[in-house]
Amino acid sequence: MIPPAIRSQLIEIVGSARYHDSNEARLSYSYDATPNFQALPDAVIMPKSKEEIQAVLKICNEHGIPIVPRGSGTNLSAGTCPTQGGIVLVFNHMNRILEIDEENLTVTVQPGVITKQLIEAVEARGLFYPPDPSSMKISTIGGNINECSGGLRGLKYGVTKDYVLGLEIVLPNGDCIRTGGKSPKDVAGYDLTKLFVGSEGTLGVITEATLKLIPIPETKKTMLALFEDLDAAARTVSAIISNRIIPATLEFLDQPTCKVVEDFAKVGLPTDVNAVLLIEQDGPLEVVERDMEQIARICKEGHAVSVKIAQSKAEAEALSTARRSALSALARLRPTTILEDATVPRSKISEMVRAINQIAEKYNVTICTFGHAGDGNLHPTCLTDGRNKEEMHLVEKAFEEIFRKAIELGGTITGEHGVGEMKRPYLSLKVGEEGVAAMKAVKQAFDPNGIMNPGKMFAKDARKRVVMTR
Amino acid sequence: MIPPAIRSQLIEIVGSARYHDSNEARLSYSYDATPNFQALPDAVIMPKSKEEIQAVLKICNEHGIPIVPRGSGTNLSAGTCPTQGGIVLVFNHMNRILEIDEENLTVTVQPGVITKQLIEAVEARGLFYPPDPSSMKISTIGGNINECSGGLRGLKYGVTKDYVLGLEIVLPNGDCIRTGGKSPKDVAGYDLTKLFVGSEGTLGVITEATLKLIPIPETKKTMLALFEDLDAAARTVSAIISNRIIPATLEFLDQPTCKVVEDFAKVGLPTDVNAVLLIEQDGPLEVVERDMEQIARICKEGHAVSVKIAQSKAEAEALSTARRSALSALARLRPTTILEDATVPRSKISEMVRAINQIAEKYNVTICTFGHAGDGNLHPTCLTDGRNKEEMHLVEKAFEEIFRKAIELGGTITGEHGVGEMKRPYLSLKVGEEGVAAMKAVKQAFDPNGIMNPGKMFAKDARKRVVMTR
C-alpha cells in the first residue's frame, strides 16, 4: 500500500481524476495478456506530461515504490504484470501523434498511440511504418518500443528497433534525457536509444519517440503454398532466401493451427495439408511479379502440393488477417493458451519444428506451431489448462526443452516477446551468467534503487515460468 | 611504463614476438588519422585469440593499465590515440573471415578483417555488405564496429549498427560474453550488441562479430547533377526524398572540394559550378531506370544546370572513387586537414551549408564542404596549419559554432566519426548533462576501473579540441 502522505503527494501531481486505487482499478491493471500471471498494483496513474512523470518518479525513487509502465498489456511474457505491486503508469492521456515530417520521413509520437492508428496515419501520406505486431489493433507504440515488437513484415523490414531514431526518456531519478533525433546517423556517445528499445520498462519511462518512416511499397501480392510434408515446407523457407529473395512476409502454419484459424476466420485456409506457407512480397509491380513467379517455382521444386496467389486485395487481406488471428483462434480451444517465441537461425527451422513436435509428444501436451518462419521466429503454442497443476508441470518441462533446443541450434529464448517475468529463469541459457551479470550492471546503472518494473528480466531464484504471484 | 613484473606476465601470455615496446613500435602506434593528436603507448600487443585478450585484460584491470583497441587507425576523432599511455591492442593476427553463411545471409569475422576484403568476399557469393566508409580499403571491421562507421551507401542501407547481429566481447574483468547471434530477432535481455556498436572501445574488446548480409543489388547507375546555386542543390536533396525516392547514395560536393578532387583524381568532375550532387541508385534494372529518370526530372526542376548519367561502369566507378578520395585530395593543400561531421536532419542541409560558409567567413578560415547529403551528414573540412596557434584558435571557434548550429537545427555533433578525444568537450551540447551522466553510468557499469580507452568520449574538463597531449 502507498502510505497516505505519499499518496497525497502523488495526487497533488496528477490530480485525483488520474490517480486510481479503487479495487476495480487495481484489478483492471493486475494482469496482461500472459496467462496465469496476476498481481494487484497499489495504484494506477495516468500521467499527461513528462513533467508529471518526472515528479512521480522522483517520489517513487526516493521511497522505493515500483513503477510499471504499461501500454495495452498485449505482451505475452508477463512484462507488465505488477508482480511487486507499486504504481502502474498508463498512457491513455499521452496518445498523440505529434508530427509527421514528410521531408525527413519521420513521425514523432507519444507512447500511448495505438500502433495501427500510427500506421494508418502515415499511410495516408504515402509513408510506411513496417513493424506490425499481431496485436497492432490494440497495442501501443510505447509498448512496442519497450518490448521491441516484431511482426509479420519483420523479415524484409526488420523490427521496432530498426525504426526508433530518437527517444525522450524519464530516468528513475527524475532526469529527462533525449537520445538520437531525426538524423539516422548519430554517434554522439553510446546508443542509448537502442539500449532502451526492448528494455521492458526496466530502465526508465519512455515519454516520446521519433520513428523512421519509409516510402510505402507500390504494390503487394500474397501467396499460399501448401505442403503435405512439414519438413519440406520448412526447407522451402530456407530455399527462398538462399535464392536471394527476401519476401516481406514468410509465415508458417502447421495443420492444427490452420484448422482452428479457418474454423475461426473462415477465409478458405486449407485444413487438409500438414503445413502452409503464407508469403507476401511488396515493392514495384515488376519486381513483385518476378519475385512471386520465382517463389512459386521454388515452392513447387520444394514439393508444394499447391501454390495459389490471392486474386484480389480483399482475398489477400483476409488471409493475413486470419494469420493475425491465430492466437485468438487457438485460445478458444482450451482454458489456457501459452504462446512462445523460441527463435532459431532460419536454416534450422525444419529441425526446430521437428524437435517441437517430438517434445510435445514426449510430454503428452498439445502444441500447435506457427510463426514468422522467414526470421526463424516460431510460435509453438500450447493449449492447456492453467488449473491443472500436473499438466502445467509437463508444459513447463516441454517449454524448457524447447528453449534449450533453440539455444543449441544457435537461436534464442525469445525473438519478439521479451523476457518479462515469464522467461527470466531462462535468460542465462541464452546469454550466460556473465551476460546476465553485464545486463544487471546496466540495470543498476540506470535504476540503482530497483524501482523500474522490478522482478522482470532477471531471475531472483530458480522459480519456474508459470507461477501465480502475490 | 609497464612495471617489469607485469611486462613479464604479459609476454608470457602472448610471447615476445607479439609484445612490442621498442621506441619504433610505440611511435608507430602513437597516433591515428586525426591531425594534432599524438601520445606514446607503453606497449603494443598483437593478440591472436580471445583467451589471450582475456588474460591481458585481467592483468591490466587489476593494475589499472589502459587498453586501447585499434584497427587501422583511420578514425578522425582521435579515438585510438593512446592519450593516457597503456597498451594498444592490434588485431593483425585476428583477421580471418570465419564463415559466410549463405542460408542465413550472415558473415562471421574476426575484428582485424579489412572492410573492403570482407565486402569483396561476400560479393563473390552474390551477397552484399552495405557499410562502405571512405577508408574501407584500409579500415578494419573491428574499427568500423567500434565507431559505427557510415559511408556513401548509408542513406538507403543504413550504417554499421544496422548490420551487426551478434558480438563476442571480452569485458575489462576478463569475462567473455556473446551477444545476439544469427537471428535478426532476439530480445533476450538488453541489446548489448547495439550498445557496443559505436562504443569507441570504451566498454570492452570486440573479438568476433556476426554481420547481416543482403542480396546484392542487380544493377547500379550513377548520376552527376550540377548546380550554380549551392542552396538549390541542397533543396534538391530534400526534394528527391520528399518524392519518396531513396537513392543508394546522395553526395554533395561544393565547388572548392570538386576542384581539388578533380585536380587529384582527374575523372572529369566539373570545377566551374558551385555545387555537385553525386547520386547513385541500385536495385532491379526497371526500378533503377525509373528512379533515375525521376531524379533527373527533380534535379532539373530544382535548377540543375546539367544532369548527366555515367555511361559505363568504369565511369561510374571513377566518380565514386573520386568522391572517396576527397579527404586525401584536400589534405594536399595545406599542412593540416580537419574533417568534421556535423549532421542535421536532411531538410536542414541548405541552412547548414549556408551557416558553415558564414562561419568560415566570420573566422576567416578555409572550409570546404562535402558529404552524405541524403543523411544530412556533412563533412565541413578545414584546411589549416596545426603549427599556427592563432589560426588553430580560430578553427576551434569556427567548429564549435558549427556544432552549436547543427544542434540548433535538430542535428548532432557527429554523424559517423565518433566523439573520441577530439569532440569530448562537445558531447554535452548534444545529449545534455543528464545524458552524459547516464552514459558515464553505463561506462562505470562495464569498466569500473576505467581501463578501456580512457580519456575518450567524456570530457574531464573544458579543454578544447585541438590539443597535443602527453
Side-chain angles (χ1 to χ4, degrees):
Chain A
M1 220 191 76
I2 312 270
I6 297 173
R7 181 176 183 276
S8 304
Q9 282 181 284
L10 293 169
I11 289 176
E12 200 166 308
I13 294 165
V14 298
S16 57
R18 291 185 284 111
Y19 182 98
H20 305 277
D21 56 4
S22 67
N23 282 342
E24 294 76 4
R26 292 167 62 217
L27 194 64
S28 302
Y29 292 96
S30 64
Y31 57 91
D32 56 29
T34 322
N36 277 29
F37 286 83
Q38 187 168 23
L40 287 174
D42 296 305
V44 178
I45 288 181
M46 298 169 172
K48 64 174 186 189
S49 70
K50 72 157 194 267
E51 289 79 10
E52 286 185 0
I53 295 171
Q54 288 182 282
V56 168
L57 259 61
K58 261 186 210 161
I59 291 173
C60 291
N61 195 37
E62 194 182 323
H63 298 285
I65 298 169
I67 291 282
V68 183
R70 177 193 153 108
S72 299
T74 54
N75 78 83
L76 296 165
S77 56
T80 51
C81 180
T83 2
Q84 300 185 14
I87 290 165
V88 173
L89 284 188
V90 177
F91 296 90
N92 52 351
H93 293 280
M94 291 177 74
N95 61 354
R96 282 185 306 134
I97 295 177
L98 301 172
E99 182 200 36
I100 298 176
D101 180 338
E102 299 196 37
E103 261 193 301
N104 292 303
L105 306 192
T106 61
V107 57
T108 299
V109 295
Q110 291 185 313
V113 172
I114 302 294
T115 314
K116 189 150 190 274
Q117 288 175 4
L118 163 70
I119 289 175
E120 287 170 353
V122 302
E123 289 192 355
R125 310 274 192 102
L127 294 169
F128 192 44
Y129 177 73
D132 61 339
S134 292
S135 56
M136 69 184 191
K137 269 191 198 171
I138 39 172
S139 70
T140 66
I141 199 71
N144 293 173
I145 293 170
N146 273 297
E147 299 290 331
C148 187
S149 301
L152 272 65
R153 300 192 283 232
L155 171 58
K156 183 172 181 176
Y157 292 105
V159 297
T160 302
K161 72 178 162 196
D162 299 308
Y163 293 87
V164 184
L165 292 174
L167 294 172
E168 182 187 78
I169 301 161
V170 175
L171 299 178
N173 64 6
D175 276 358
C176 181
I177 62 173
R178 276 193 170 267
T179 70
K182 285 184 179 177
S183 315
K185 288 167 92 169
D186 181 5
V187 290
Y190 302 132
D191 192 343
L192 299 185
T193 309
K194 295 287 194 277
L195 179 63
F196 271 80
V197 178
S199 65
E200 305 187 4
T202 63
L203 299 178
V205 178
I206 291 166
T207 53
E208 194 184 297
T210 297
L211 309 169
K212 172 181 154 177
L213 302 173
I214 57 176
I216 198 164
E218 286 169 33
T219 189
K220 184 170 84 173
K221 285 196 180 287
T222 303
M223 175 194 288
L224 277 190
L226 317 184
F227 294 82
E228 285 301 350
D229 181 11
L230 208 126
D231 237 38
R235 280 196 308 269
T236 300
V237 170
S238 272
I240 292 168
I241 293 160
S242 295
N243 270 274
R244 314 285 187 258
I245 303 170
I246 312 286
T249 293
L250 181 36
E251 295 286 310
F252 167 91
L253 298 93
D254 69 3
Q255 197 252 1
T257 309
C258 272
K259 223 171 142 201
V260 289
V261 168
E262 176 56 19
D263 197 35
F264 179 80
K266 304 222 169 18
V267 291
L269 271 182
T271 57
D272 55 349
V273 291
N274 283 315
V276 171
L277 296 182
L278 170 70
I279 305 165
E280 292 187 335
Q281 183 58 304
D282 61 12
L285 184 63
E286 312 90 299
V287 179
V288 170
E289 281 180 346
R290 196 204 302 170
D291 281 356
M292 284 313 241
E293 257 171 52
Q294 280 208 57
I295 293 170
R297 180 183 52 74
I298 296 165
C299 287
K300 283 174 196 156
E301 285 170 11
H303 307 292
V305 293
S306 153
V307 173
K308 208 182 90 182
I309 294 180
Q311 290 307 304
S312 67
K313 210 178 153 183
E315 191 188 340
E317 198 61 39
L319 288 171
S320 73
T321 304
R323 158 58 189 89
R324 281 183 213 281
S325 71
L327 172 58
S328 323
L330 289 164
R332 304 195 312 166
L333 298 190
R334 291 202 61 199
T336 306
T337 312
I338 300 174
L339 190 155
E340 268 306 339
D341 75 330
T343 299
V344 292
R346 74 174 72 89
S347 62
K348 304 291 184 187
I349 293 258
S350 136
E351 205 171 326
M352 190 67 203
V353 170
R354 247 177 303 153
I356 291 169
N357 290 342
Q358 281 160 7
I359 292 165
E361 205 170 313
K362 173 174 166 190
Y363 290 101
N364 194 27
V365 293
T366 306
I367 296 182
C368 302
T369 297
F370 62 98
H372 319 301
D375 292 315
N377 182 198
L378 294 171
H379 292 315
T381 302
C382 188
L383 310 181
T384 181
D385 185 344
R387 297 162 302 189
N388 181 337
K389 288 225 162 93
E390 213 172 307
E391 186 171 324
M392 289 312 281
H393 181 66
L394 292 173
V395 171
E396 275 163 15
K397 292 275 230 184
F399 273 118
E400 179 161 346
E401 214 166 304
I402 287 172
F403 297 145
R404 286 187 189 277
K405 185 70 189 181
I407 301 288
E408 182 195 315
L409 295 174
T412 181
I413 58 168
T414 173
E416 59 181 10
H417 293 171
V419 178
E421 166 110 6
M422 196 162 94
K423 279 199 273 203
R424 55 183 201 159
Y426 307 113
L427 180 61
S428 64
L429 283 185
K430 167 64 185 157
V431 305
E433 291 306 331
E434 295 85 354
V436 172
M439 289 179 185
K440 278 188 173 168
V442 171
K443 165 79 174 170
Q444 181 71 19
F446 284 90
D447 183 24
N449 300 336
I451 64 163
M452 291 306 308
N453 207 3
K456 308 302 158 57
M457 202 177 286
F458 304 112
K460 274 204 175 129
D461 46 43
R463 266 200 292 171
K464 284 301 179 219
R465 56 192 295 281
V466 188
V467 280
M468 188 77 99
T469 41
R470 285 193 112 201
Chain B
M1 218 190 79
I2 312 267
I6 297 173
R7 182 176 183 274
S8 303
Q9 282 180 285
L10 292 169
I11 290 176
E12 199 165 309
I13 294 164
V14 298
S16 57
R18 290 185 286 109
Y19 182 97
H20 304 278
D21 56 5
S22 67
N23 282 342
E24 293 76 4
R26 291 166 63 217
L27 194 64
S28 301
Y29 292 96
S30 64
Y31 58 91
D32 56 29
T34 322
N36 277 28
F37 286 83
Q38 186 169 21
L40 286 175
D42 295 305
V44 178
I45 288 181
M46 298 169 172
K48 63 176 188 188
S49 71
K50 71 157 195 267
E51 289 78 10
E52 286 185 358
I53 296 171
Q54 287 182 282
V56 168
L57 259 62
K58 260 186 211 160
I59 290 172
C60 291
N61 197 36
E62 195 181 322
H63 299 284
I65 298 169
I67 290 281
V68 182
R70 177 193 153 110
S72 299
T74 54
N75 78 84
L76 296 165
S77 57
T80 50
C81 179
T83 2
Q84 300 185 14
I87 290 165
V88 172
L89 285 186
V90 177
F91 295 91
N92 53 349
H93 293 279
M94 292 177 75
N95 61 353
R96 281 183 308 133
I97 295 177
L98 300 173
E99 183 199 34
I100 298 176
D101 180 338
E102 298 196 38
E103 261 192 302
N104 292 303
L105 306 191
T106 61
V107 58
T108 299
V109 295
Q110 292 185 314
V113 172
I114 300 295
T115 314
K116 190 148 191 275
Q117 288 175 5
L118 164 71
I119 290 175
E120 287 171 351
V122 303
E123 288 192 355
R125 311 273 192 103
L127 294 168
F128 192 43
Y129 178 72
D132 61 339
S134 292
S135 56
M136 68 185 192
K137 270 192 199 170
I138 39 171
S139 71
T140 67
I141 199 70
N144 292 173
I145 294 170
N146 273 299
E147 299 290 331
C148 187
S149 302
L152 272 65
R153 301 191 284 232
L155 172 57
K156 182 172 182 177
Y157 292 106
V159 296
T160 301
K161 72 177 164 199
D162 299 307
Y163 293 86
V164 183
L165 292 173
L167 293 173
E168 181 186 78
I169 300 160
V170 174
L171 299 178
N173 65 5
D175 277 358
C176 181
I177 62 173
R178 276 193 169 268
T179 70
K182 287 184 180 178
S183 314
K185 289 168 90 170
D186 181 5
V187 290
Y190 302 131
D191 193 342
L192 299 186
T193 309
K194 294 287 194 276
L195 179 63
F196 271 81
V197 179
S199 64
E200 306 188 1
T202 64
L203 299 177
V205 178
I206 291 167
T207 53
E208 193 182 297
T210 297
L211 309 170
K212 174 180 152 178
L213 302 173
I214 57 177
I216 199 164
E218 286 170 34
T219 189
K220 185 169 86 174
K221 284 196 181 289
T222 303
M223 176 193 287
L224 277 191
L226 318 185
F227 294 81
E228 285 300 350
D229 180 12
L230 208 126
D231 236 38
R235 280 195 308 269
T236 299
V237 169
S238 272
I240 292 168
I241 293 160
S242 295
N243 270 277
R244 314 286 186 256
I245 303 171
I246 312 286
T249 293
L250 183 34
E251 296 287 311
F252 168 92
L253 297 94
D254 69 2
Q255 196 250 3
T257 309
C258 273
K259 223 168 142 207
V260 287
V261 169
E262 177 56 20
D263 195 35
F264 179 79
K266 305 223 169 17
V267 292
L269 272 181
T271 56
D272 54 350
V273 291
N274 283 314
V276 171
L277 296 182
L278 170 71
I279 306 166
E280 292 187 334
Q281 182 57 304
D282 60 12
L285 184 63
E286 313 88 302
V287 179
V288 170
E289 281 179 347
R290 199 204 300 168
D291 281 357
M292 285 311 242
E293 258 170 52
Q294 282 206 56
I295 294 170
R297 181 183 51 74
I298 296 165
C299 287
K300 283 174 196 155
E301 285 170 12
H303 307 293
V305 292
S306 152
V307 172
K308 207 182 90 180
I309 294 180
Q311 290 307 304
S312 67
K313 212 177 150 181
E315 191 187 340
E317 199 60 40
L319 288 171
S320 72
T321 303
R323 156 61 188 88
R324 280 183 214 283
S325 70
L327 172 56
S328 322
L330 289 165
R332 303 193 313 166
L333 298 191
R334 290 202 62 200
T336 306
T337 312
I338 300 175
L339 190 155
E340 267 307 337
D341 74 330
T343 299
V344 293
R346 74 174 73 87
S347 62
K348 305 291 185 189
I349 293 258
S350 134
E351 206 170 325
M352 190 66 204
V353 171
R354 246 175 307 152
I356 291 170
N357 290 341
Q358 280 160 9
I359 291 166
E361 205 169 315
K362 174 174 166 189
Y363 290 101
N364 193 25
V365 292
T366 307
I367 296 183
C368 302
T369 297
F370 62 99
H372 319 301
D375 293 316
N377 182 195
L378 294 172
H379 293 314
T381 301
C382 187
L383 310 182
T384 180
D385 184 344
R387 296 162 302 187
N388 181 338
K389 285 222 164 95
E390 214 172 307
E391 185 171 327
M392 290 311 281
H393 182 66
L394 293 173
V395 171
E396 275 163 17
K397 292 276 229 182
F399 273 118
E400 178 161 347
E401 214 166 306
I402 287 172
F403 296 146
R404 287 186 189 275
K405 184 70 188 180
I407 301 287
E408 183 196 316
L409 296 175
T412 182
I413 57 166
T414 172
E416 58 181 10
H417 292 172
V419 178
E421 165 111 6
M422 196 162 93
K423 278 198 274 202
R424 57 185 202 158
Y426 307 112
L427 180 62
S428 65
L429 283 186
K430 166 65 183 158
V431 305
E433 290 305 331
E434 296 84 355
V436 171
M439 289 179 185
K440 278 188 174 169
V442 171
K443 165 78 175 172
Q444 180 71 16
F446 283 91
D447 183 25
N449 300 336
I451 64 162
M452 291 306 309
N453 207 2
K456 308 301 158 63
M457 200 176 289
F458 304 113
K460 272 200 178 135
D461 46 44
R463 266 200 291 173
K464 286 298 179 225
R465 59 194 293 282
V466 188
V467 279
M468 188 77 99
T469 41
R470 285 193 109 202

